[in-house]
Amino acid sequence: MTGHLIYLSIPGLRPGDVTGAARKDSRTSMPTLHAWAQSGALAELTPSFPCVTSPVQASVWTGVGPGQHGVIANGFHDRDRNQVEFWMARNGIIQGEQIWDCIQRSGHLTSAVWHAQNIKDAAADYIVTPEPIHRPDGRTDLWCYSKPGGLYEQLLAELGHFPLQHYWGPLASIESSKWIIAAAQWLISRHDPNFHYIYLPHLDYASQKFGPNSPQAAEALRELDALLAGFNEFVMSSPAGPDAVFLVASEYAMTEVSSVIHPNIELRKHGLLHTREDAEGVLIDFANSRAFAMVDHQFAHVYVEQGSVDEVAAVFQAILGVDGVFAGDRRSAVAVNHPRAGEIVLVARDDCWFQYYWWADEADAPAFARTVDIHRKPGYDPVELFIDTETKGIPLDASLVKGSHGVPAIEAKHRGAIICSKPTHFIETSRTYHDTDVKSIVLGLMGIDPDRS
């Protein structure tokens, strides 16, 4: 049992990155994580499908999969409003008891969460997560949601604004993770929470832009490990140091991709998706479309008008690169048979991914397609990591993307890593764990009985 557990959520981290095996040599780009694994434990971690950030985080926190907690993607289609919403932030969309609920009920332990998804209003004692203010004139002001109120203002005075431009988009870099670690250190010095959940997205960037086995991805591993080395030194010299334990877990593993699929273009070609024009360009006419796809990396939810499911499913059965078409009750085969899910769930082959575009001619693309706009696009857009130097906007070239994730983790290459910095019977090196096991591991390490907390 530990009085201080620091959980580092590191998307894209693979066991071979820690041992050096991923690059077919005996060296590792991550000596800090390697040392933790050697002194403690390293095991494989299998993410629940869909293997993307919001669902996996919710699975970790609740101990149940997306079919139960209801986070079926990084976004949702609101059927009542006929509107797609991506990167919603409120904790209330998660169905199920979460780690912080158990910690709170223990009566004597505190928790902090840094930059997780769907975390606003959660039961954690301390929360900081991006909440930029979008002005009517198009300007965006840097800001973060925080709990308790005023926490971000204190961090702002000490550290400056969270560098949102380095958190996502063409300027994404280690600077965002540096700020998160610095903020966590500030909180440790002043309030010393017993549990930290810290999201560090740095490995995502190079792996999506250049591929998970690229030299750029290897450099990202080195950068992140150097940051963790400094954080480890800080924690060990703090009052929390003697009993502090680091628990590191990947959210998913990346695969190399060489092909992109456009479900909405296919639906439009077959007369199932309709568009309308407004001042911004040609947009999806959700109200009058018989089907449209909300895409997210290597899977998509296709929302279909009643009576058209078989017709729509047939469209995708014939498309090269679509590895699975799960309609109606067949969605149970991938454990996302939930009311929020699309009538059809598509899964790509793991060397392919889905892009949201619905236009064949770039002239029809709406204005926001060439901007970093994570809310209005009906799907996740990794092309936002690139910049067109001539237009100073986001290019409309999906072939630029070289890495993706999201397919069911049925092979070793799809699994991530879980590491504990000290020996524990809660993690056995010879065993493969699931993200739904992590909640019980966390509570066990903290000495909390989830049934009695």
Side-chain angles (χ1 to χ4, degrees), residues 312-314 316-317 322-327 330 344-347:
V312 174
F316 293 110
Q317 295 283 5
V322 176
D323 202 40
V325 180
F326 302 92
R330 289 199 64 232
I344 299 172
V345 175
L346 304 179
V347 177

Side-chain angles (χ1 to χ4, degrees), residues 42 80 119 126 135-136 150 164-166 188 199 204 216 220 245-246 261 301 328 371-372 392 399 402 414:
L42 166 66
D80 293 332
I119 197 61
Y126 305 96
R135 301 294 185 185
L164 186 68
Q165 70 275 22
H166 296 301
I188 289 170
Y199 175 60
D204 251 10
Q216 294 90 341
V245 173
F246 289 92
I261 303 164
H301 288 275
T371 67
V372 176
K392 308 300 182 186
S399 69
K402 302 303 179 187
H414 303 139

Side-chain angles (χ1 to χ4, degrees), residues 265-347:
I265 292 178
E266 293 295 331
L267 290 170
R268 190 178 180 188
K269 185 193 307 179
H270 285 81
L272 295 159
L273 180 147
H274 297 289
T275 59
R276 60 182 177 84
E277 293 190 33
D278 77 356
E280 286 200 294
V282 178
L283 305 178
I284 295 177
D285 185 348
F286 293 108
N288 292 305
S289 292
R290 292 168 58 200
F292 70 89
M294 183 188 78
V295 306
D296 200 346
H297 297 84
Q298 292 178 318
F299 72 101
H301 288 275
V302 186
Y303 293 89
V304 185
E305 184 182 76
Q306 189 174 5
S308 299
V309 171
D310 290 344
E311 181 182 356
V312 174
V315 169
F316 293 110
Q317 295 283 5
I319 295 176
L320 186 66
V322 176
D323 202 40
V325 180
F326 302 92
D329 291 342
R330 289 199 64 232
R331 295 173 301 175
S332 296
V334 285
V336 286
N337 195 1
H338 188 276
R340 290 175 178 159
E343 282 70 22
I344 299 172
V345 175
L346 304 179
V347 177

Side-chain angles (χ1 to χ4, degrees), residues 75-192:
F76 297 97
H77 173 234
D78 188 317
R79 287 181 170 91
D80 293 332
R81 292 187 296 153
N82 221 347
Q83 181 176 327
V84 171
E85 297 183 2
F86 249 67
W87 303 110
M88 297 161 298
R90 296 296 169 187
N91 191 249
I93 68 170
I94 301 175
Q95 299 163 349
E97 184 181 63
Q98 299 167 45
I99 289 172
W100 3 96
D101 298 316
C102 298
I103 292 174
Q104 184 184 64
R105 286 206 314 276
S106 72
H108 63 286
L109 301 174
T110 56
S111 60
V113 186
W114 299 94
H115 287 62
Q117 301 301 323
N118 301 322
I119 197 61
K120 295 176 186 177
D121 307 320
D125 299 277
Y126 305 96
I127 301 172
V128 177
T129 198
E131 189 176 56
I133 300 169
H134 301 289
R135 301 294 185 185
D137 63 1
R139 291 184 299 113
T140 298
D141 294 343
L142 302 180
W143 199 255
C144 283
Y145 166 96
S146 66
K147 177 188 177 184
L151 175 58
Y152 182 63
E153 286 85 344
Q154 296 177 60
L155 292 168
L156 176 59
E158 293 280 337
L159 306 175
H161 274 299
F162 172 67
L164 186 68
Q165 70 275 22
H166 296 301
Y167 188 61
W168 181 247
L171 299 179
S173 73
I174 192 70
E175 295 305 314
S176 60
S177 293
K178 284 181 178 178
W179 191 97
I180 294 169
I181 290 295
Q185 292 179 174
W186 181 93
L187 193 67
I188 289 170
S189 297
R190 288 157 179 80
H191 299 286
D192 195 23

